[in-house]
Amino acid sequence: MDTLAVTEAARGQGVGATLLEAAAAQARTLGLSRVGLLVEDGNRAATLYARVGFRAAGTRTLAGGSYTHLIWTLPG
């Protein structure tokens, strides 16, 4: 997954979770069993990612920023 963003006005309404579920469905259609992404340290979205099942798989430095590499092993 490259980028996922939800406008501030729509946050907390389940939009992000719905987008993640759609990404998971597309990944399954493609025969994939995992989805990965980077989340910048301190980003509130990390809570959502953990809630749906993403787990830390290391850290990365990109363009001077520190990120946690997350992997979601897809259910089903």
Side-chain angles (χ1 to χ4, degrees), residues 4-65:
L4 176 72
V6 176
T7 64
E8 191 165 339
R11 291 180 188 153
Q13 299 177 34
V15 175
T18 298
L19 290 170
L20 289 171
E21 288 297 334
Q26 181 63 32
R28 283 189 211 87
T29 298
L30 295 172
L32 303 175
S33 61
R34 309 185 302 172
V35 174
L37 59 79
L38 298 176
V39 62
E40 190 169 18
D41 291 351
N43 186 328
R44 295 180 309 173
T47 303
L48 167 63
Y49 301 143
R51 191 169 62 240
V52 300
F54 281 91
R55 299 292 175 248
T59 59
R60 305 283 190 275
T61 300
L62 182 65

